[in-house]
Amino acid sequence: MTGWILKLIICPIVILLSDFMFSDLSYPSPYSVVLTGAILALANHFMEVAMLRPGTFWISNMMDFLTSVTIISVSSWMIPGARAALPGILLTAFLLTVTEYFQHLWLLRSDKTEKMA
């Protein structure tokens, strides 16, 4: 549960910062940033629950990167007025993956990874 709450806060913040920093990424409103961030947080959380174990650290990070690229790309098609070019998508996904890297380290070291029943 801790990982989910962290992701729900961090993902929209990273997307908002990317929206301001990169000219290749633009969302029309804060609502669209929060929506995209929440969808990313949900997807990354479920992947984390399913995959994150000792020994799958790098695979989990790579999957988070690919998921971020996919969701940001799709959001730019689905949200009217949103625009995302490949450099902006890749840079934002990279920033999200960096945050996931540290979250995964913390979750594994504190043994807070959630196991699927």
Side-chain angles (χ1 to χ4, degrees), residues 42-52 60 63-65 67:
L42 185 65
N44 286 343
H45 174 71
F46 282 124
M47 282 193 329
E48 188 174 276
V49 169
M51 292 179 57
L52 186 62
S60 292
M63 291 304 296
D64 282 337
F65 178 79
T67 302

Side-chain angles (χ1 to χ4, degrees), residues 51-112:
M51 292 179 57
L52 186 62
R53 309 275 182 279
T56 64
F57 177 76
W58 289 109
I59 294 169
S60 292
N61 286 321
M62 287 188 310
M63 291 304 296
D64 282 337
F65 178 79
L66 294 173
T67 302
S68 296
V69 167
T70 303
I71 290 174
I72 293 167
S73 297
V74 170
S75 75
S76 70
W77 300 330
M78 300 297 286
I79 297 172
R83 162 183 79 71
L86 188 59
I89 293 167
L90 294 175
L91 288 168
T92 303
F94 174 76
L95 290 177
L96 286 163
T97 304
V98 169
T99 66
E100 289 291 326
Y101 172 88
F102 291 108
Q103 289 176 54
H104 290 170
L105 277 178
W106 173 70
L107 288 168
L108 287 169
R109 288 182 180 162
S110 64
D111 199 32
K112 291 186 185 265

